[in-house]
Amino acid sequence: MSETPKTAAHKTAERIVELEAELEADGRAAVDGSDLEAALGVLRHWIEGVAAVVASPALGRVTLVHADGNASSIASPELAFLLSGPARAKPAE
């Protein structure tokens, strides 16, 4: 029997927080309810400040360049692939 996405998300978030604790780094997971809604609101606002996106599928990274010139990286082979020009997924017709 496969896990529901919510269960998988909870387990992944818990594992990440535990790994960070081993490095004596504090982590906080928002997986549902008002905590998740608040985190998504912050992310939406943060994304709105993006002025450029650099997708690097070969590196599995997406770099967001904000209007003030600061850059933030997201390590995600899937996102980099989805954002890459020629490899961009085409909508089904």
Side-chain angles (χ1 to χ4, degrees), residues 10 12 20-21 25 30 33 51-52 67-68 83 87 92:
H10 281 101
T12 300
E20 290 173 350
D68 62 4
L83 291 173

Side-chain angles (χ1 to χ4, degrees), residues 3-92:
E3 296 181 77
T4 64
K6 184 176 180 180
T7 302
H10 281 101
K11 286 183 177 182
T12 300
E14 183 178 284
R15 187 179 76 232
I16 292 167
V17 169
E18 288 172 356
L19 289 171
E20 290 173 350
E22 289 178 17
L23 298 172
E24 298 182 7
D26 193 24
R28 181 175 173 265
V31 293
D32 55 23
S34 60
D35 285 344
L36 180 58
E37 288 298 319
L40 292 174
V42 169
L43 285 168
R44 286 183 192 105
H45 179 73
W46 183 74
I47 289 287
E48 289 173 4
V50 172
V53 177
V54 179
S56 304
L59 299 176
R61 179 174 37 226
V62 174
T63 302
L64 306 177
V65 182
H66 303 275
D68 62 4
N70 288 328
S72 302
S73 291
I74 300 171
S76 172
E78 181 181 6
L79 181 58
F81 177 77
L82 290 171
L83 291 173
S84 64
R88 187 174 300 140
K90 304 279 190 245

